[in-house]
Amino acid sequence: MLEDRTTAVSAGTPWPAAYPQGYAVVDVETTGLARDDRIISAAVYRLDGRGEVEDHWYTLVNPERDPGPVWIHGLTSEVLDGAPLFADVAEEFAARLDGRVLVAHNAVFDWQMIAREYARAKSEPPVKQRLCTIALSKELGLPLQNHKLETLAAHFGVVQRRAHHALDDARVLAEAFRPSLRAAAAGGVRLPLLECRPLTEWSQTPRIGQQASGGGYRPSSWRPSRRRPACPYPNPGRFEDGSPLRQGMRVAFSGDTSTERELLEDRAVEAGLHVSTSVSRLTSLLVTNDPDSGTSKVVKARQFGTPVVDEAAFGQLLRDVAPAGTPAGER
């Protein structure tokens, strides 16, 4: 039982020497999910090596643009107008992160947003490693229906007061991370730590597969291949317009996306979807912003009658993916 293992650690079981000495539990709210979106609020809970809270910090950030989905985060242009710019809070933010492992729910997203803000400010965040609480919950084999923060919180009895408010989301995650960390220590679980490499997308040096653009950023279609674990759910068939996505559906992507492709694919996998690198008769859905292009995936989707949606519609569908085994048209 998780509770038994947690109690054993707190009662004096030796703590793994290889575990980090401190953590920075982070949540950022943003104007959107694309590469050029901005942070509008940030919160950090600093924890010691055993997950105990040391202090917390929160700030609004003026994104110098529209605030994006106000109906989600509640931060209007009027609220953000007098807030500091990211460059004004970068030093304090860095002090909160310095020497600690960055912990976040879907950490690749928070890390990339933070790294891009520092790149714009011609600086680097002092973070060497990150830990995703989704990955940790999988390592622990927690019996979660999905990998939403609210589900993880409910599993540990943590009450969420203001969803999509950076400070409360960071608090909730810190409270859920503590028992997760102790369970990992008690079970001798190796923490799923990943290296954090500062981004240089706003440097003068073009990336591989990208033409120089006067120092500005332009999306590149080049990216290294990634091997993903097999989807644990059977393919329930094709997506039907008006119905939700269902776990196990095979999803393929074609063409440029405003959201970084790796992040988009990670979100699909975390929702329980099977990300496919090609289109076949088994493909449930093709996501493309250019359905009239002549790419091989689009051509095959036409041949097979595979449903096609754009990136924005796919983002909406990802918010409410039906569990595996749910009959079509039912929730």
Side-chain angles (χ1 to χ4, degrees):
M1 293 291 290
L2 175 63
E3 292 78 11
D4 295 337
R5 292 193 294 175
T6 302
T7 301
V9 170
S10 60
T13 299
W15 197 262
Y19 275 24
Q21 298 301 304
Y23 304 88
V25 178
V26 173
D27 185 76
V28 297
E29 295 299 318
T30 66
T31 60
L33 304 176
R35 300 180 183 191
D36 58 351
D37 276 302
R38 306 296 301 272
I39 289 176
I40 55 175
S41 67
V44 181
Y45 266 73
R46 290 197 291 191
L47 312 182
D48 66 17
R50 291 177 177 257
E52 297 296 335
V53 175
E54 296 178 334
D55 58 29
H56 63 266
W57 173 80
Y58 170 76
T59 185
L60 294 174
V61 180
N62 186 340
E64 299 182 283
R65 51 156 289 178
D66 68 276
V70 175
W71 61 91
I72 294 177
H73 52 64
L75 298 176
T76 65
S77 296
E78 291 74 20
V79 170
L80 297 172
D81 184 52
L85 303 179
F86 186 86
D88 298 329
V89 301
E91 184 176 350
E92 176 66 15
F93 199 176
R96 300 281 167 173
L97 302 175
D98 194 19
R100 297 171 185 265
V101 170
L102 185 151
V103 177
H105 203 65
N106 190 13
V108 63
F109 173 74
D110 293 80
W111 162 246
Q112 289 178 344
M113 294 301 296
I114 292 168
R116 290 191 189 106
E117 289 288 7
Y118 275 95
R120 290 186 186 97
K122 296 180 172 55
S123 183
E124 294 182 3
V127 178
K128 302 300 182 184
Q129 292 180 307
R130 67 178 185 268
L131 188 156
C132 180
T133 47
I134 294 175
L136 180 57
S137 67
K138 291 178 179 179
E139 290 288 335
L140 294 173
L142 300 183
L144 305 178
Q145 181 180 8
N146 55 52
H147 293 290
K148 297 179 180 179
L149 176 58
E150 61 196 58
T151 304
L152 180 65
H155 177 77
F156 289 113
V158 180
V159 178
Q160 189 164 28
R161 303 188 186 102
R162 296 182 64 186
H164 300 296
H165 185 283
L167 184 60
D168 196 56
D169 280 353
R171 175 192 62 81
V172 167
L173 190 57
E175 292 186 18
F177 176 61
R178 185 187 307 110
S180 297
L181 179 64
R182 291 177 177 174
V189 175
R190 183 176 180 178
L191 297 180
L193 301 174
L194 293 177
E195 181 183 4
C196 287
R197 296 183 179 181
L199 302 182
T200 57
E201 294 172 321
W202 279 266
S203 72
Q204 298 291 334
T205 305
R207 296 167 64 195
I208 297 174
Q210 176 182 329
Q211 299 297 318
S213 57
Y217 174 73
R218 286 174 53 186
S220 167
S221 61
W222 178 88
R223 65 191 179 96
S225 60
R226 295 181 67 193
R227 291 184 60 86
R228 297 182 179 277
C231 181
Y233 310 112
N235 185 355
R238 288 185 172 178
F239 168 73
E240 298 177 4
D241 189 29
S243 297
L245 291 170
R246 285 177 286 159
Q247 290 181 326
M249 282 187 168
R250 297 175 69 97
V251 178
F253 298 88
S254 177
D256 289 335
T257 54
S258 59
T259 302
E260 189 163 345
R261 178 70 68 83
E262 182 176 309
L263 174 59
L264 201 59
E265 292 180 353
D266 283 346
R267 292 182 64 208
V269 170
E270 287 156 7
L273 303 176
H274 177 131
V275 172
S276 177
T277 58
S278 61
V279 173
S280 71
R281 297 183 187 278
L282 297 177
T283 304
S284 307
L285 182 69
L286 175 66
V287 180
T288 179
N289 290 325
D290 190 4
D292 297 321
S293 68
T295 66
S296 61
K297 291 179 183 177
V298 170
V299 171
K300 287 184 177 180
R302 288 200 204 102
Q303 292 174 347
F304 299 143
T306 304
V308 177
V309 301
D310 63 20
E311 181 184 354
F314 183 66
Q316 293 292 327
L317 290 168
L318 275 181
R319 294 183 180 181
D320 193 20
V321 177
T326 303
E330 294 184 15
R331 289 309 308 272

